[in-house]
Amino acid sequence: MYKLIFIFFMMINVAATLHAQNYDSAMKAAGMVDIAEIDTTIVIDLMYAGTDNFVGEDMYGSLRKAYIHSEAGKGLVKAQAALTRERPGYRLKVCDAARPISVQRKMWNKVKGTPKSKYVSNPARGGGQHNFGLAVDITIVDKYGKELPMGTPVDHLGYESNIDAENALVKQGKITEQERQNRLLLRRVMRAGGFSALRTEWWHFNFRSRAVAQSRYHRLDF
């Protein structure tokens, strides 16, 4: 009996490993690069590879690597260099990057018909920049590896995450001035890498617009 249980779990582990390997191959074939390989300074902690995210479920299973389009990858390296110049010892922390359309569908199915659906790109309409490897969800950690306070956690879907409301949020006591300054630091270094911020999510940055992504780049259709 114990032998059968052992064999069963070994089969699960083998299947998970093969899944991860196939994922890696598909990403690289699509022109994506492993962020950990292009800059070892950057911290990787994929929030959708666990349950601490807005859907409350693991979307990635055994997959732990963060991939990004090679062009955006160069920009991310520049952003980390800009952060190092301004705050030696501080590091970018990637919480999500390239996202296959299969994962996007799973995510969309969890939120469609709810108020959260406005935060998730509908895969039936082509998906969003994550699905082209041209977006990252990102924050900053200090030299001790502690995340800088930003007023909300990454993936907090609500008014407090809006970057165009930050002055008002400080006045209302919803975020502190230091938290606002930390957000500004993140935007400065990401802008130095060629990324633009998303109005409703302080942690989300795009390397290309949605129109450009959908017209000039290949979607991650796996």
Side-chain angles (χ1 to χ4, degrees), residues 127 129 132 134 208-217:
Q129 288 92 318
F132 295 84
L134 296 168
R208 295 285 186 263
S209 69
R210 181 177 300 194
V212 169
Q214 293 184 353
S215 64
R216 300 183 187 176
Y217 293 83

PDB file of all heavy atoms in Angstrom, residues 127 129 132 134 208-217:
ATOM      1  N   GLY A 127      -6.393  39.522 -25.098  1.00  0.00           N
ATOM      2  CA  GLY A 127      -5.552  39.495 -23.910  1.00  0.00           C
ATOM      3  C   GLY A 127      -4.837  40.810 -23.677  1.00  0.00           C
ATOM      4  O   GLY A 127      -5.050  41.797 -24.397  1.00  0.00           O
ATOM      5  N   GLN A 129      -1.008  42.874 -22.099  1.00  0.00           N
ATOM      6  CA  GLN A 129       0.429  42.884 -22.360  1.00  0.00           C
ATOM      7  C   GLN A 129       1.172  41.740 -21.675  1.00  0.00           C
ATOM      8  O   GLN A 129       2.218  41.300 -22.157  1.00  0.00           O
ATOM      9  CB  GLN A 129       1.017  44.234 -21.951  1.00  0.00           C
ATOM     10  CG  GLN A 129       0.647  45.382 -22.886  1.00  0.00           C
ATOM     11  CD  GLN A 129      -0.604  46.127 -22.445  1.00  0.00           C
ATOM     12  OE1 GLN A 129      -1.588  45.513 -22.024  1.00  0.00           O
ATOM     13  NE2 GLN A 129      -0.566  47.437 -22.518  1.00  0.00           N
ATOM     14  N   PHE A 132       1.852  38.840 -23.896  1.00  0.00           N
ATOM     15  CA  PHE A 132       2.869  39.018 -24.929  1.00  0.00           C
ATOM     16  C   PHE A 132       4.269  39.112 -24.312  1.00  0.00           C
ATOM     17  O   PHE A 132       5.244  39.346 -25.020  1.00  0.00           O
ATOM     18  CB  PHE A 132       2.583  40.277 -25.745  1.00  0.00           C
ATOM     19  CG  PHE A 132       1.304  40.202 -26.551  1.00  0.00           C
ATOM     20  CD1 PHE A 132       0.087  40.507 -25.962  1.00  0.00           C
ATOM     21  CD2 PHE A 132       1.318  39.817 -27.876  1.00  0.00           C
ATOM     22  CE1 PHE A 132      -1.100  40.435 -26.681  1.00  0.00           C
ATOM     23  CE2 PHE A 132       0.132  39.746 -28.609  1.00  0.00           C
ATOM     24  CZ  PHE A 132      -1.078  40.044 -28.011  1.00  0.00           C
ATOM     25  N   LEU A 134       5.170  41.478 -22.302  1.00  0.00           N
ATOM     26  CA  LEU A 134       5.524  42.889 -22.356  1.00  0.00           C
ATOM     27  C   LEU A 134       5.044  43.673 -21.141  1.00  0.00           C
ATOM     28  O   LEU A 134       4.953  44.904 -21.194  1.00  0.00           O
ATOM     29  CB  LEU A 134       4.958  43.507 -23.637  1.00  0.00           C
ATOM     30  CG  LEU A 134       5.537  42.939 -24.934  1.00  0.00           C
ATOM     31  CD1 LEU A 134       4.714  43.395 -26.137  1.00  0.00           C
ATOM     32  CD2 LEU A 134       7.000  43.357 -25.102  1.00  0.00           C
ATOM     33  N   ARG A 208       5.159  47.985 -23.804  1.00  0.00           N
ATOM     34  CA  ARG A 208       4.505  48.429 -25.035  1.00  0.00           C
ATOM     35  C   ARG A 208       3.021  48.625 -24.753  1.00  0.00           C
ATOM     36  O   ARG A 208       2.472  48.021 -23.833  1.00  0.00           O
ATOM     37  CB  ARG A 208       4.675  47.391 -26.155  1.00  0.00           C
ATOM     38  CG  ARG A 208       6.108  47.181 -26.614  1.00  0.00           C
ATOM     39  CD  ARG A 208       6.591  48.329 -27.475  1.00  0.00           C
ATOM     40  NE  ARG A 208       7.924  48.077 -28.028  1.00  0.00           N
ATOM     41  CZ  ARG A 208       9.064  48.529 -27.500  1.00  0.00           C
ATOM     42  NH1 ARG A 208       9.019  49.252 -26.387  1.00  0.00           N
ATOM     43  NH2 ARG A 208      10.227  48.273 -28.081  1.00  0.00           N
ATOM     44  N   SER A 209       2.366  49.433 -25.559  1.00  0.00           N
ATOM     45  CA  SER A 209       0.923  49.604 -25.403  1.00  0.00           C
ATOM     46  C   SER A 209       0.209  48.341 -25.859  1.00  0.00           C
ATOM     47  O   SER A 209       0.787  47.494 -26.561  1.00  0.00           O
ATOM     48  CB  SER A 209       0.443  50.787 -26.249  1.00  0.00           C
ATOM     49  OG  SER A 209       0.548  50.473 -27.630  1.00  0.00           O
ATOM     50  N   ARG A 210      -1.050  48.215 -25.490  1.00  0.00           N
ATOM     51  CA  ARG A 210      -1.820  47.039 -25.911  1.00  0.00           C
ATOM     52  C   ARG A 210      -1.946  46.981 -27.427  1.00  0.00           C
ATOM     53  O   ARG A 210      -1.808  45.904 -28.029  1.00  0.00           O
ATOM     54  CB  ARG A 210      -3.210  47.056 -25.276  1.00  0.00           C
ATOM     55  CG  ARG A 210      -4.044  45.848 -25.661  1.00  0.00           C
ATOM     56  CD  ARG A 210      -5.391  45.819 -24.978  1.00  0.00           C
ATOM     57  NE  ARG A 210      -5.229  45.773 -23.536  1.00  0.00           N
ATOM     58  CZ  ARG A 210      -6.209  45.479 -22.688  1.00  0.00           C
ATOM     59  NH1 ARG A 210      -7.417  45.186 -23.144  1.00  0.00           N
ATOM     60  NH2 ARG A 210      -5.997  45.476 -21.399  1.00  0.00           N
ATOM     61  N   ALA A 211      -2.195  48.135 -28.049  1.00  0.00           N
ATOM     62  CA  ALA A 211      -2.353  48.158 -29.506  1.00  0.00           C
ATOM     63  C   ALA A 211      -1.070  47.697 -30.202  1.00  0.00           C
ATOM     64  O   ALA A 211      -1.115  46.907 -31.147  1.00  0.00           O
ATOM     65  CB  ALA A 211      -2.728  49.565 -29.972  1.00  0.00           C
ATOM     66  N   VAL A 212       0.067  48.171 -29.729  1.00  0.00           N
ATOM     67  CA  VAL A 212       1.342  47.783 -30.329  1.00  0.00           C
ATOM     68  C   VAL A 212       1.618  46.307 -30.056  1.00  0.00           C
ATOM     69  O   VAL A 212       2.066  45.570 -30.949  1.00  0.00           O
ATOM     70  CB  VAL A 212       2.491  48.663 -29.781  1.00  0.00           C
ATOM     71  CG1 VAL A 212       3.846  48.095 -30.183  1.00  0.00           C
ATOM     72  CG2 VAL A 212       2.348  50.089 -30.294  1.00  0.00           C
ATOM     73  N   ALA A 213       1.339  45.863 -28.833  1.00  0.00           N
ATOM     74  CA  ALA A 213       1.568  44.452 -28.489  1.00  0.00           C
ATOM     75  C   ALA A 213       0.776  43.537 -29.419  1.00  0.00           C
ATOM     76  O   ALA A 213       1.314  42.556 -29.953  1.00  0.00           O
ATOM     77  CB  ALA A 213       1.179  44.201 -27.034  1.00  0.00           C
ATOM     78  N   GLN A 214      -0.495  43.871 -29.629  1.00  0.00           N
ATOM     79  CA  GLN A 214      -1.359  42.997 -30.416  1.00  0.00           C
ATOM     80  C   GLN A 214      -1.080  43.081 -31.909  1.00  0.00           C
ATOM     81  O   GLN A 214      -1.372  42.127 -32.648  1.00  0.00           O
ATOM     82  CB  GLN A 214      -2.828  43.326 -30.126  1.00  0.00           C
ATOM     83  CG  GLN A 214      -3.234  42.985 -28.696  1.00  0.00           C
ATOM     84  CD  GLN A 214      -4.714  43.209 -28.437  1.00  0.00           C
ATOM     85  OE1 GLN A 214      -5.436  43.735 -29.278  1.00  0.00           O
ATOM     86  NE2 GLN A 214      -5.180  42.806 -27.270  1.00  0.00           N
ATOM     87  N   SER A 215      -0.487  44.172 -32.355  1.00  0.00           N
ATOM     88  CA  SER A 215      -0.249  44.325 -33.797  1.00  0.00           C
ATOM     89  C   SER A 215       1.158  43.910 -34.228  1.00  0.00           C
ATOM     90  O   SER A 215       1.364  43.522 -35.385  1.00  0.00           O
ATOM     91  CB  SER A 215      -0.502  45.771 -34.227  1.00  0.00           C
ATOM     92  OG  SER A 215       0.421  46.658 -33.610  1.00  0.00           O
ATOM     93  N   ARG A 216       2.119  43.954 -33.312  1.00  0.00           N
ATOM     94  CA  ARG A 216       3.510  43.723 -33.711  1.00  0.00           C
ATOM     95  C   ARG A 216       4.188  42.536 -33.032  1.00  0.00           C
ATOM     96  O   ARG A 216       5.293  42.157 -33.425  1.00  0.00           O
ATOM     97  CB  ARG A 216       4.343  44.985 -33.430  1.00  0.00           C
ATOM     98  CG  ARG A 216       3.861  46.218 -34.163  1.00  0.00           C
ATOM     99  CD  ARG A 216       4.785  47.395 -33.886  1.00  0.00           C
ATOM    100  NE  ARG A 216       4.262  48.635 -34.437  1.00  0.00           N
ATOM    101  CZ  ARG A 216       4.828  49.831 -34.269  1.00  0.00           C
ATOM    102  NH1 ARG A 216       5.959  49.911 -33.561  1.00  0.00           N
ATOM    103  NH2 ARG A 216       4.282  50.918 -34.785  1.00  0.00           N
ATOM    104  N   TYR A 217       3.541  41.975 -32.020  1.00  0.00           N
ATOM    105  CA  TYR A 217       4.190  40.903 -31.250  1.00  0.00           C
ATOM    106  C   TYR A 217       3.327  39.643 -31.262  1.00  0.00           C
ATOM    107  O   TYR A 217       2.128  39.699 -31.558  1.00  0.00           O
ATOM    108  CB  TYR A 217       4.450  41.351 -29.815  1.00  0.00           C
ATOM    109  CG  TYR A 217       5.483  42.451 -29.713  1.00  0.00           C
ATOM    110  CD1 TYR A 217       5.121  43.781 -29.909  1.00  0.00           C
ATOM    111  CD2 TYR A 217       6.813  42.169 -29.431  1.00  0.00           C
ATOM    112  CE1 TYR A 217       6.063  44.809 -29.829  1.00  0.00           C
ATOM    113  CE2 TYR A 217       7.761  43.178 -29.334  1.00  0.00           C
ATOM    114  CZ  TYR A 217       7.379  44.498 -29.535  1.00  0.00           C
ATOM    115  OH  TYR A 217       8.318  45.511 -29.454  1.00  0.00           O
TER     116      TYR A 217
END
